[in-house]
Amino acid sequence: MKITLLIATRNAHKVAEIRTIMGEGFRYLTLNDIADSPDVVEDESTFAGNATKKAVALAQWLERARTAQGGVGISRVEAGASGRMFVLADDSGLEVDALNSAPGVHSARFAALDTGAPGNSPTEQNNAKLLRLLKDVPASGRTARFCCVVALTPASLPTSSTSSLIRQSDN
């Protein structure tokens, strides 16, 4: 029986990438498949902190929803016949050496940080800000890496606040 992975995103492109990496040995669900799933604020200072926070918060929410009288969430049938389900969450971003690893965990909202606007910035605005900040940096000094951290935790986690780091990629 396949284990169910709840991929903690609504981003179809990210889901496709994760499915390609993980293969067909799992049953996949996303946040689009679950009514009323909470939005988890990614306000930790590291990619691992954000990925862990999201995985654990969603696992705890699923457990509360499953055990609540008339609650919402994922039933045993939706989780698969085995009932074994894990939450897989990630956080990722760009780290530019000349900018002391910025934008880092703020990559998606990098330009919005200047305006105080809530939410993520359009890619074009983030790129324009990066180029503006790097205008005096020679090409040889424009080194960077894309970092991604993935956290995995069982979906039945009523009190724990940890997850397991699956893989951290620095390129």
Side-chain angles (χ1 to χ4, degrees):
M1 285 182 255
K2 290 185 177 181
I3 292 173
T4 299
L5 289 180
L6 170 60
I7 303 171
T9 188
R10 290 179 176 82
N11 180 323
H13 179 72
K14 186 181 287 189
V15 171
E17 288 179 332
I18 291 171
R19 287 182 71 141
T20 298
I21 292 166
M22 298 296 290
E24 294 305 316
F26 299 93
R27 182 169 180 269
Y28 296 98
L29 295 173
T30 72
L31 295 180
N32 293 325
D33 298 314
I34 302 172
D36 303 319
S37 60
D39 288 325
V40 179
V41 176
E42 296 180 32
D43 56 2
E44 298 294 325
S45 62
T46 65
F47 296 118
N50 282 330
T52 298
K53 180 180 179 180
K54 190 185 315 183
V56 169
L58 288 167
Q60 290 173 341
W61 175 81
L62 283 169
E63 183 62 19
R64 285 190 308 271
R66 240 195 317 247
T67 58
Q69 182 78 359
V72 297
I74 302 247
S75 69
R76 182 176 172 83
V77 173
E78 290 171 305
S82 70
R84 295 186 308 165
M85 183 165 65
F86 292 83
V87 178
L88 186 145
D90 80 298
D91 192 30
S92 59
L94 183 67
E95 292 184 336
V96 179
D97 295 319
L99 301 178
N100 296 315
S101 296
V105 295
H106 304 291
S107 293
R109 58 188 176 279
F110 191 46
L113 295 174
D114 295 341
T115 65
N120 294 343
S121 312
T123 300
E124 298 78 22
Q125 290 179 11
N126 287 333
N127 290 345
K129 180 176 179 178
L130 277 171
L131 292 173
R132 189 173 63 254
L133 293 173
L134 293 170
K135 69 178 172 53
D136 295 327
V137 177
S140 62
R142 292 185 179 195
T143 55
R145 73 197 97 347
F146 182 80
C147 295
C148 180
V149 175
V150 177
L152 180 74
T153 193
S156 56
L157 245 185
T159 58
S160 179
S161 62
T162 62
S163 65
S164 298
L165 181 66
I166 296 178
R167 173 94 172 102
Q168 180 165 340
S169 176
D170 288 329
N171 44 15

